[in-house]
Structure formats: C-alpha cells, structure tokens
Amino acid sequence: MKTRDASSSHLHAHRAGDASHHHFTEGRRQSILGWAVLLTLGFALVEALAGFWSNSLALLSDAGHMVTDASALGLALLAQIIAKRPPSAKHSFGFGRAEALAAFINALAMLAVVGWIAFEAIQRFSKPVQVKGEAVFAVALVGLAINVVVAWVLSHDRNSVNTKAALVHVLGDLLGSVAALAAGAVIYFTGWLQIDPLLSLLVSALILKSTFSVLRESYHFLMEGVPHHIDYLQVGEDLAAVSGVLSVHDLHVWEMTPGQPALIGHVEITRMDDWPDTLRAIKTMLLEKYGIDHVTLQAELPSMAEGD
C-alpha cells in the first residue's frame, strides 16, 4: 500500500502554469493550540471544584465552558495535524476540510452547552440556591486572566476557520468569567442570588451570535459553497467576455481548502488553435480579479455541443 501511495505523488504534482497552492494546510502552529489546551483544561478542573463547593451556577457554567473549550481546542489541534497531511491515493484533495469539520462540530457542542446553562438558570429563578460570593469572585478573577491569555494566544492565527471556532469558545468562556466575577461581587455585597442565573443567561445569549456565525461559515465551506468574496454570476460574465470565448457552462466555484478557491467549467471557443492563448488570458483574469489560481477548464467548439 505504501508503494501505491508513494507512486501517486506525481498525480498531485503541479507543473509550470498550474495552480501554486498545496492540497494541504501550511503555516499552522500547533504550539498555539497546544498551550491553549493545557491552560484551559487545567483551570477547568479548578473552577469546576470551586463551583460545586460554592454552589455557583455562573462558576459551574464557566467551568462547563472551559471543559468544552478544552475539547474544542483539542479537536482543533487534531484537525490541524490532519489538515497538514498531503494528498494520498484515497484522498486526492488532501485533508484541508478537517479544519472546517472540526469547527462545525465545535459550534454544535457550544449550542448544547448554552442550552444546558439556560435550562439550569431558569430552574434557579424559581428555586434560588445559596452561593458563596467571595469564593466565586476570587476564582472567576483567576479564570478571567487565564481566558485573556488563551484568547490572546489564539488570536495570532487569523487564517484558520477552525481556530476561529475555538476562539469563539474561549471568548464565550471569557464572558462567562466576567459574568461569574460580577455575580460573585453582587452576591457578596447585596445577597441577591438571582444575579447568578441572570448573568448566565446573558452570557449564553451573547455566545449564540458568534456560534451561529461559525456554524454558517463552516457549513458553507463543507457544502462547497461559492467563496463569500466571489460573485459567481460576475465570474461567468467575465469569462464570457474574454476574447475568443463564445459561452461558458457547467461552471463551479468553491474552496478546496480555506482561502484557496478553485474553478472548473466548460468553455465554448471559436477556434481550438487559439485555446492556449485564450486559456492564459482566462487564468490571468481569474487570478488578478478573484484570486483563483486553481483553474480546470474544458474547451469546446460549437460543433461539439451536446445533441449536434
């Protein structure tokens, strides 16, 4: 099997004039996610124990966020490692979509966490639970510092939709720490217990917006949607406007890996002898105007139209 995989490498090779991108993810630093996992998982345990001891839903919800964050970050790390694998005889496009898949799963997990927090918060409005405000405040302060550090670390990788999804988890956790901090202070100074579930619901509502954004982005990519910055209809018009092109059909534009758009289609031309020059003109236009350098086009003459 190794021999067959090795012998397939020439099939994935790009020669002069072909696309310049690779079918695997480069430039991802696994150390960023590695440190984030260690920091998040370590403090999640501390915060969970403190939450049970103090009876604080805000603290427990924040601990739940951090456990989910640690899982999300671990999944993101695994996805980045997988995404770096080159194409093989069984996966000719490589594994770049692993990052978007991880982002989608992470966002779904975040929705589940938000649902659990909302359910618990509603229960506590009718049945308030005594909370140790000073303990909540102290632990939440440390949690806030940890989340700021993790968010800062993750912000250094802005190119990965997967890391963005993990960052959403961490930012939600940061908001959870702020809420727990405020809840602890209010309970300690006023004794108003309803602030604990109230702030938990507020944080959940804020997290939902970012979570849905990641879901839309990762879903769009997984469904091979047209990249958001590209106007599909305009691409068709620009192709048809190239000298020597009569019409364009069966046109598809999508992203093979995040940030790497690709295009395939059929082009009806006037003369097959002019195709090399026409193709060069098309590639130049697509690269300069849309950033598309992975182009696969089939040239056809009017006489080759289906049914003739």
Side-chain angles (χ1 to χ4, degrees):
M1 188 62 194
K2 290 183 178 179
T3 302
R4 288 182 61 83
D5 284 341
S7 65
S8 70
S9 60
H10 70 285
L11 297 176
H12 306 293
H14 292 184
R15 297 182 177 179
D18 289 345
S20 61
H21 84 278
H22 299 278
H23 294 275
F24 55 93
T25 304
E26 297 182 300
R28 298 281 192 265
R29 291 177 290 175
Q30 277 73 50
S31 60
I32 289 178
L33 285 172
W35 279 108
V37 170
L38 291 176
L39 286 172
T40 304
L41 190 59
F43 189 74
L45 178 61
V46 174
E47 197 169 34
L49 293 175
F52 282 113
W53 177 71
S54 63
N55 290 323
S56 171
L57 177 60
L59 210 55
L60 282 173
S61 65
D62 194 32
H65 279 161
M66 295 195 80
V67 170
T68 307
D69 291 345
S71 301
L73 292 168
L75 186 59
L77 178 60
L78 178 62
Q80 285 198 2
I81 293 173
I82 293 174
K84 288 177 71 69
R85 295 173 60 187
S88 67
K90 290 185 177 180
H91 300 89
S92 63
F93 278 108
F95 298 85
R97 291 184 182 275
E99 290 195 63
L101 180 60
F104 188 77
I105 294 173
N106 286 342
L108 290 178
M110 199 67 219
L111 287 180
V113 171
V114 168
W116 174 79
I117 293 172
F119 176 79
E120 289 294 325
I122 292 173
Q123 294 290 102
R124 288 202 176 192
F125 277 122
S126 58
K127 297 179 181 179
V129 176
Q130 190 63 40
V131 177
K132 296 180 175 66
E134 66 278 11
V136 175
F137 184 88
V139 176
L141 187 61
V142 178
L144 179 62
I146 294 292
N147 285 318
V148 168
V149 171
V150 174
W152 177 78
V153 169
L154 291 178
S155 67
H156 284 69
D157 188 359
R158 300 175 181 272
N159 298 322
S160 169
V161 64
N162 186 42
T163 304
K164 289 179 183 178
L167 183 58
V168 167
H169 280 259
V170 176
L171 291 177
D173 211 13
L174 193 151
L175 290 173
S177 294
V178 172
L181 194 67
V186 171
I187 292 172
Y188 179 75
F189 289 108
T190 70
W192 186 39
L193 297 177
Q194 278 77 9
I195 188 66
D196 190 55
L198 180 63
L199 288 178
S200 297
L201 285 176
L202 177 61
V203 171
S204 298
L206 293 175
I207 294 172
L208 280 178
K209 181 179 180 181
S210 297
T211 301
F212 282 129
S213 176
V214 171
L215 275 176
R216 284 195 301 269
E217 184 177 357
S218 56
Y219 174 80
H220 185 78
F221 177 79
L222 290 172
M223 295 302 293
E224 299 184 334
V226 177
H228 295 297
H229 69 285
I230 294 177
D231 185 335
Y232 174 81
L233 296 179
Q234 187 61 50
V235 170
E237 292 178 7
D238 290 341
L239 284 172
V242 173
S243 178
V245 175
L246 297 177
S247 65
V248 180
H249 63 278
D250 201 11
L251 180 66
H252 302 277
V253 183
W254 78 104
E255 284 184 302
M256 298 178 65
T257 58
Q260 296 288 354
L263 179 148
I264 61 174
H266 291 226
V267 178
E268 188 174 301
I269 58 177
T270 54
R271 284 168 28 93
M272 194 61 74
D273 290 342
D274 296 336
W275 176 235
D277 292 334
T278 303
L279 181 59
R280 277 193 292 269
I282 289 174
K283 286 187 173 182
T284 298
M285 182 273 294
L286 290 174
L287 182 60
E288 293 179 351
K289 189 168 183 178
Y290 298 101
I292 303 175
D293 74 337
H294 195 286
V295 179
T296 304
L297 292 172
Q298 177 175 316
E300 299 174 348
L301 296 173
S303 59
M304 297 168 60
E306 188 175 352
D308 289 353

